[in-house]
Amino acid sequence: AQSVSQHNHHVILSEAASLELGCNYSYGGTVNLFWYVQYPGQHLQLLLKYFSGDPLVKGIKGFEAEFIKSKFSFNLRKPSVQWSDTAEYFCAVITTSGTYKYIFGTGTRLKVLA
Amino acid sequence: DVKVTQSSRYLVKRTGEKVFLECVQDMDHENMFWYRQDPGLGLRLIYFSYDVKMKEKGDIPEGYSVSREKKERFSLILESASTNQTSMYLCASSGTWTGGNEKLFFGSGTQLSVL
């Protein structure tokens, strides 16, 4: 079965530190890849997405992610985090075998210390 | 902006009760989804629907059923609630998946406690 793995469950950083959150998926076909964010007390919202083309995609609030097909990875990065980036981050994949399924990873809780 | 409305923010039910969780979206979206969100397990897909009266099982459909009689409304039903169904339930919707509409819009969630 298709799955999405997020290796870091909890990450604590100081402001201005660089961030990289790992995401790997297990699916050999065409995929669409996403990162969603859930700020405390708020709805899940889309951070960025990859469909095709340039494997480096840029999202809102200075986030970017790189799709590396050979590694089945879609890691999220930000050069310098802020206290307001404290949130839970979810990687997600749409798979296209049979019916479409929108599958999420287990999430990474990021805490940024002021 | 798209609005996905879940009828209850908090719900407390007893074991064995039949529970209905309602979700309504106002953007004429074809696709609707039910997830449950548990700490350390992320979002797990229960059921989804890509059209009225259509439904597909997700990864954890056992103990749940769904109903989609109208395009804007997608209901999740717990036929006989059990304590292991205590969770945060999230509804989401999206437009047709043709090049760019794959973004999910989420409701605010229903925290269900089964005692």
Side-chain angles (χ1 to χ4, degrees), chain B residues 4 8 10 14 17-18 23 27 34 37 41 48 51 68-69 75 88-89 91 93-94 98 101 106 109 113 115:
Chain B
V4 179
S8 305
Y10 299 96
R14 297 223 173 262
E17 278 193 80
K18 189 168 186 175
C23 176
M27 280 301 291
W34 276 106
Q37 182 178 11
L41 297 177
F48 61 105
D51 202 351
R68 194 162 180 205
E69 295 297 318
S75 303
M88 171 68 80
Y89 289 87
C91 176
S93 73
S94 77
T98 51
N101 272 336
F106 283 88
S113 296
L115 306 178

Side-chain angles (χ1 to χ4, degrees), chain A residues 36 38 43 51 100-102, chain B residues 35 37 59 97 102 104:
Chain A
Y36 282 81
Q38 188 173 33
H43 300 189
F51 295 145
Y100 287 81
K101 269 191 183 181
Y102 215 124
Chain B
Y35 292 89
Q37 182 178 11
D59 295 320
W97 287 347
E102 293 81 347
L104 287 183

Side-chain angles (χ1 to χ4, degrees), chain A residues 31-57:
Chain A
V31 291
N32 294 333
L33 297 155
F34 308 82
W35 276 96
Y36 282 81
V37 60
Q38 188 173 33
Y39 296 104
Q42 295 188 25
H43 300 189
L44 272 149
Q45 56 187 283
L46 183 68
L47 203 53
L48 48 78
K49 60 186 179 183
Y50 171 80
F51 295 145
S52 62
D54 189 345
L56 185 63
V57 292

Side-chain angles (χ1 to χ4, degrees), chain A residues 9-87:
Chain A
H9 298 294
H10 292 90
V11 174
I12 301 174
L13 294 172
S14 298
E15 273 194 316
S18 63
L19 170 72
E20 181 158 3
L21 301 183
C23 172
N24 288 89
Y25 62 93
S26 63
Y27 181 65
T30 303
V31 291
N32 294 333
L33 297 155
F34 308 82
W35 276 96
Y36 282 81
V37 60
Q38 188 173 33
Y39 296 104
Q42 295 188 25
H43 300 189
L44 272 149
Q45 56 187 283
L46 183 68
L47 203 53
L48 48 78
K49 60 186 179 183
Y50 171 80
F51 295 145
S52 62
D54 189 345
L56 185 63
V57 292
K58 295 191 184 298
I60 60 172
K61 305 188 180 187
F63 286 91
E64 64 180 30
E66 185 175 13
F67 170 54
I68 303 179
K69 190 173 181 180
S70 60
K71 294 184 177 181
F72 298 89
S73 71
F74 190 56
N75 292 353
L76 180 71
R77 298 195 293 246
K78 186 171 184 179
S80 177
V81 294
Q82 300 173 307
W83 177 80
S84 58
D85 293 324
T86 294

